[in-house]
Amino acid sequence: MKNLFFLFITFLVLKSEDSFITQYEYGQMLYNNPRGIGCVHCHGKDGSGALIAKYKEDGKTKSLSGPNIRNKSIKELKKSLFKRHKVMPTYFLTDSEIEALAYFLSNEGD
Protein backbone atom coordinates (compact mmCIF):
# COMPACT_ATOMS: atom_id res chain seq x y z
CA MET A 1 0.00 0.00 0.00
CA LYS A 2 2.85 2.40 0.88
CA ASN A 3 4.53 1.66 -2.43
CA LEU A 4 1.34 2.50 -4.33
CA PHE A 5 1.10 5.79 -2.44
CA PHE A 6 4.71 6.70 -3.29
CA LEU A 7 4.19 5.71 -6.93
CA PHE A 8 1.09 7.88 -7.08
CA ILE A 9 2.89 10.85 -5.51
CA THR A 10 5.88 10.33 -7.83
CA PHE A 11 3.57 10.29 -10.84
CA LEU A 12 1.87 13.50 -9.75
CA VAL A 13 5.15 15.27 -9.05
CA LEU A 14 6.71 14.29 -12.36
CA LYS A 15 3.71 14.57 -14.68
CA SER A 16 1.86 17.58 -13.36
CA GLU A 17 3.13 21.14 -13.35
CA ASP A 18 0.31 22.18 -11.02
CA SER A 19 0.80 19.36 -8.55
CA PHE A 20 -0.70 19.61 -5.08
CA ILE A 21 2.72 18.72 -3.65
CA THR A 22 5.95 20.55 -4.38
CA GLN A 23 9.30 18.91 -5.06
CA TYR A 24 10.46 20.22 -1.67
CA GLU A 25 7.49 18.59 0.11
CA TYR A 26 8.02 15.35 -1.78
CA GLY A 27 11.72 15.33 -0.86
CA GLN A 28 10.81 16.06 2.76
CA MET A 29 8.37 13.12 2.81
CA LEU A 30 11.05 10.82 1.42
CA TYR A 31 13.64 12.15 3.88
CA ASN A 32 11.38 11.50 6.85
CA ASN A 33 10.29 8.04 5.68
CA PRO A 34 11.82 6.79 2.41
CA ARG A 35 10.94 3.13 2.92
CA GLY A 36 11.34 2.10 6.50
CA ILE A 37 13.82 4.00 8.63
CA GLY A 38 13.90 7.68 7.69
CA CYS A 39 17.09 9.61 6.94
CA VAL A 40 16.05 12.05 9.68
CA HIS A 41 16.94 9.55 12.43
CA CYS A 42 20.65 9.51 11.60
CA HIS A 43 21.23 12.66 9.56
CA GLY A 44 19.10 15.00 11.66
CA LYS A 45 16.13 17.20 10.89
CA ASP A 46 17.95 19.20 8.23
CA GLY A 47 20.61 16.73 7.03
CA SER A 48 23.45 18.25 9.04
CA GLY A 49 24.09 15.02 10.99
CA ALA A 50 22.93 13.58 14.29
CA LEU A 51 24.11 11.42 17.16
CA ILE A 52 22.83 7.89 16.67
CA ALA A 53 24.22 6.21 19.79
CA LYS A 54 26.84 6.31 22.52
CA TYR A 55 28.45 3.10 23.67
CA LYS A 56 31.40 1.75 25.63
CA GLU A 57 34.22 -0.17 24.03
CA ASP A 58 37.34 -1.25 25.90
CA GLY A 59 36.30 1.00 28.79
CA LYS A 60 36.07 4.09 26.58
CA THR A 61 32.91 5.93 25.67
CA LYS A 62 32.46 6.16 21.91
CA SER A 63 29.75 7.58 19.72
CA LEU A 64 28.21 6.79 16.38
CA SER A 65 26.92 9.72 14.34
CA GLY A 66 25.30 10.15 10.97
CA PRO A 67 27.29 12.51 8.73
CA ASN A 68 26.20 15.83 7.29
CA ILE A 69 24.62 15.20 3.88
CA ARG A 70 23.32 18.71 3.13
CA ASN A 71 25.99 19.60 0.58
CA LYS A 72 26.11 16.27 -1.24
CA SER A 73 25.57 16.31 -4.99
CA ILE A 74 22.96 14.09 -6.59
CA LYS A 75 25.81 11.88 -7.85
CA GLU A 76 27.23 11.55 -4.32
CA LEU A 77 23.79 10.78 -2.87
CA LYS A 78 23.16 8.10 -5.50
CA LYS A 79 26.55 6.51 -4.84
CA SER A 80 25.94 6.44 -1.10
CA LEU A 81 22.37 5.17 -1.36
CA PHE A 82 23.36 2.21 -3.54
CA LYS A 83 26.50 1.36 -1.57
CA ARG A 84 26.54 -1.12 1.30
CA HIS A 85 27.26 0.51 4.65
CA LYS A 86 28.03 -1.04 8.02
CA VAL A 87 25.20 0.88 9.69
CA MET A 88 22.99 2.52 7.08
CA PRO A 89 20.31 0.41 5.41
CA THR A 90 20.29 0.11 1.63
CA TYR A 91 17.52 2.10 -0.01
CA PHE A 92 16.17 1.35 -3.45
CA LEU A 93 15.14 4.81 -4.56
CA THR A 94 14.51 5.97 -8.09
CA ASP A 95 16.47 8.77 -9.73
CA SER A 96 13.52 11.13 -9.33
CA GLU A 97 13.25 10.27 -5.62
CA ILE A 98 16.96 10.96 -5.10
CA GLU A 99 16.61 14.24 -7.00
CA ALA A 100 13.70 15.22 -4.72
CA LEU A 101 15.80 14.34 -1.65
CA ALA A 102 18.69 16.43 -2.96
CA TYR A 103 16.32 19.33 -3.62
CA PHE A 104 14.92 19.11 -0.07
CA LEU A 105 18.40 18.97 1.49
CA SER A 106 19.74 21.86 -0.56
CA ASN A 107 16.74 24.05 0.33
CA GLU A 108 16.21 23.04 3.98
CA GLY A 109 16.63 26.00 6.27
CA ASP A 110 16.24 28.61 3.53
Side-chain angles (χ1 to χ4, degrees), residues 27-39:
Q28 184 179 39
M29 276 182 18
L30 289 167
Y31 185 78
N32 289 320
N33 188 7
R35 289 190 182 90
I37 297 173
C39 313

Side-chain angles (χ1 to χ4, degrees), residues 3-57:
N3 290 339
L4 286 175
F5 176 74
F6 283 117
L7 286 173
F8 176 71
I9 296 297
T10 301
F11 175 78
L12 289 176
V13 168
L14 296 176
K15 299 297 179 193
S16 173
E17 291 181 5
D18 296 324
S19 177
F20 70 94
I21 186 170
T22 66
Q23 185 175 18
Y24 177 87
E25 292 167 328
Y26 182 52
Q28 184 179 39
M29 276 182 18
L30 289 167
Y31 185 78
N32 289 320
N33 188 7
R35 289 190 182 90
I37 297 173
C39 313
V40 67
H41 298 293
C42 299
H43 298 287
K45 179 182 166 193
D46 65 356
S48 60
L51 177 67
I52 299 169
K54 285 191 174 197
Y55 60 97
K56 292 217 180 236
E57 185 177 301

Side-chain angles (χ1 to χ4, degrees), residues 75-87:
K75 184 178 178 179
E76 291 171 313
L77 286 174
K78 284 181 184 181
K79 184 178 178 182
S80 185
L81 286 165
F82 292 117
K83 175 183 162 189
R84 282 209 162 276
H85 297 273
K86 290 182 180 180
V87 177

